[in-house]
Amino acid sequence: MTDTTIRRYTSERETEDQQAEEEAAVVCPECGGSLVSDSERGETVCEDCGLVVEEDEIDPGPEWRAFDSTEKDKKSRVGAPTTNMMHDKGLSTNIGWQDKDAYGNSLSSRQREKMQRLRTWNERFRTRDSKERNLKQALGEIDRMASALGLPENVRETASVIYRRALDENLLPGRSIEGVATSSLYAAARQAGTPRSLDEITSVSRVEKDEIARTYRYVVRELSLEIQPADPESYVPRFASDLDLSEEVERRARQLLQNAKEQGVHSGKSPVGLAAAAVYAASLLTNEKVTQSEVSEVANISEVTIRNRYHELLEAEDSVHP
DNA sequence: ATGGTTTTTACTGCGTC
DNA sequence: GACGCGGTAAAAACCAT
């Protein structure tokens, strides 16, 4: 019975409504979507409708309109346009696979061997490089999200360790860096006992909730991380302070939760819901009343759930404390 | 896919300020 | 009359099989 509880709620679910606006400094005049600047192409584009608001800040591509090849050579900037499709934007060295020299002549066998060795080494450096870049970007993201969520240093630390492991075990191919980075952070926060709900995580990530959940499950499984379902108590302080409630309420809420725990009432229920209900119940018991809708607001849980849970909590309390 | 459980949505009725 | 609260039914989401 407790067993199923542990497996349920490896991921939380909550309400959908998020204030996704926070990051968008500017808003699209056309559809109200958020604007994203693409420094690569020198444009500012709306995420939703694709409207290009500003363009040609800097154009990395070749200049157009060359009338003959000499002019083209003069005008074109050095190198091919960069692309995001490759980790190094196509700027690294590539060695052709054909055993031909620059004139198309075949190579001697000695030369062929040499080329083969060069290819091997070049590939090694290139991939090591790619991992490094990958890591840099991911760690940056983790840092950004962690501070947006007010997560402490040690959580970022664990998150990056998890990410590194994922990278080492080649879990990345087929998955986005963002997604894995987000999942790592989610896992780390839970492991550290300062959980953030999936929705909170989603609100600061650039990745969809579904993908985060999916990737999270995958990473946890592949790395066999052992992560217990979140402890409802760990949400209490945050909710309490968001609602400007006293220490007393917080203590009381904890008490209720511990009681419930002993009686196994909380099996299979959402930890967030439990925590929210406990805070609400505690606020009643200590005459520092907050409304259900206020609690549901900060906890991102429906009022109905709060009602159901807090009845159960009080019942459990009564049976011990008549 | 399916089934069982939990959560959410939406609506209604009741009491109070 | 708005607000807080409670309850219910149906829908949706979720997990495990």
Side-chain angles (χ1 to χ4, degrees):
Chain A
M1 175 184 71
T2 10
D3 209 13
T4 64
T5 313
I6 293 192
R7 238 159 289 149
R8 288 197 104 98
Y9 294 110
T10 48
S11 62
E12 272 102 52
R13 42 198 142 123
E14 276 153 274
T15 47
E16 291 291 331
D17 59 313
Q18 294 299 322
Q19 332 78 314
E21 315 126 26
E22 59 209 41
E23 270 182 50
V26 206
V27 164
C28 173
E30 200 66 26
C31 70
S34 48
L35 295 180
V36 168
S37 80
D38 180 352
S39 57
E40 218 54 38
R41 297 231 66 95
E43 294 169 348
T44 302
V45 186
C46 171
E47 259 185 331
D48 289 325
C49 63
L51 179 75
V52 178
V53 179
E54 281 175 76
E55 24 180 350
D56 289 344
E57 289 147 16
I58 299 167
D59 180 2
E63 275 167 331
W64 6 309
R65 278 171 65 86
F67 295 104
D68 60 279
S69 67
T70 331
E71 196 175 341
K72 186 175 167 194
D73 281 347
K74 265 195 225 152
K75 283 198 170 177
S76 87
R77 303 194 177 115
V78 175
T82 58
T83 167
N84 282 324
M85 306 286 280
M86 281 176 272
H87 70 82
D88 53 10
K89 307 193 179 188
L91 290 173
S92 65
T93 309
N94 277 299
I95 301 179
W97 56 272
Q98 293 169 89
D99 288 316
K100 300 278 176 65
D101 65 16
Y103 303 102
N105 300 322
S106 296
L107 266 41
S108 68
S109 67
R110 178 174 293 248
Q111 289 287 345
R112 273 209 296 277
E113 271 178 52
K114 195 170 171 186
M115 289 305 294
Q116 201 48 60
R117 280 200 302 279
L118 278 174
R119 281 194 199 102
T120 306
W121 280 103
N122 187 45
E123 196 55 28
R124 280 183 193 160
F125 282 119
R126 232 153 58 89
T127 56
R128 203 191 60 171
D129 238 34
S130 110
K131 285 199 173 181
E132 223 115 276
R133 282 163 202 280
N134 185 324
L135 199 58
K136 225 171 210 166
Q137 191 194 335
L139 297 189
E141 276 307 307
I142 287 174
D143 232 41
R144 181 183 64 78
M145 294 187 285
S147 61
L149 291 170
L151 287 166
E153 193 63 36
N154 63 322
V155 174
R156 298 174 207 200
E157 212 59 53
T158 10
S160 47
V161 170
I162 293 173
Y163 189 88
R164 260 179 239 269
R165 281 192 56 200
L167 196 58
D168 285 345
E169 311 245 339
N170 273 318
L171 265 40
L172 263 293
R175 263 151 262 277
S176 68
I177 294 176
E178 274 275 346
V180 179
T182 312
S183 302
S184 304
L185 184 62
Y186 179 52
R190 291 182 60 164
Q191 239 177 7
T194 50
R196 292 293 181 272
S197 71
L198 239 196
D199 282 306
E200 290 173 292
I201 295 277
T202 308
S203 70
V204 297
S205 175
R206 295 195 228 274
V207 178
E208 302 278 309
K209 184 172 162 181
D210 286 350
E211 191 187 332
I212 299 173
R214 204 176 56 239
T215 312
Y216 169 74
R217 270 192 280 271
Y218 177 74
V219 169
V220 167
R221 184 157 42 83
E222 292 303 312
L223 301 182
S224 45
L225 301 172
E226 295 197 6
I227 299 181
Q228 263 65 35
D231 183 353
E233 281 186 61
S234 48
Y235 289 104
V236 170
R238 213 146 42 85
F239 294 166
S241 89
D242 281 354
L243 292 164
D244 289 322
L245 292 167
S246 69
E247 295 286 322
E248 177 64 12
V249 180
E250 205 176 310
R251 223 191 70 252
R252 204 77 181 74
R254 282 211 155 82
Q255 224 172 34
L256 289 166
L257 287 172
Q258 274 162 21
N259 234 320
K261 217 180 287 180
E262 278 159 31
Q263 304 191 30
V265 181
H266 68 313
S267 252
K269 309 291 201 299
S270 141
V272 191
L274 250 341
V279 169
Y280 175 70
S283 85
L284 289 184
L285 293 173
T286 49
N287 292 324
E288 279 187 55
K289 199 164 151 121
V290 284
T291 67
Q292 295 177 355
S293 71
E294 286 172 310
V295 181
S296 84
E297 187 81 14
V298 303
N300 263 300
I301 214 78
S302 80
E303 297 176 40
V304 181
T305 306
I306 294 179
R307 285 202 277 277
N308 293 336
R309 286 302 90 74
Y310 106 88
H311 283 152
E312 291 165 12
L313 286 176
L314 291 182
E315 261 173 48
E317 184 78 346
D318 276 352
S319 65
V320 184
H321 234 317

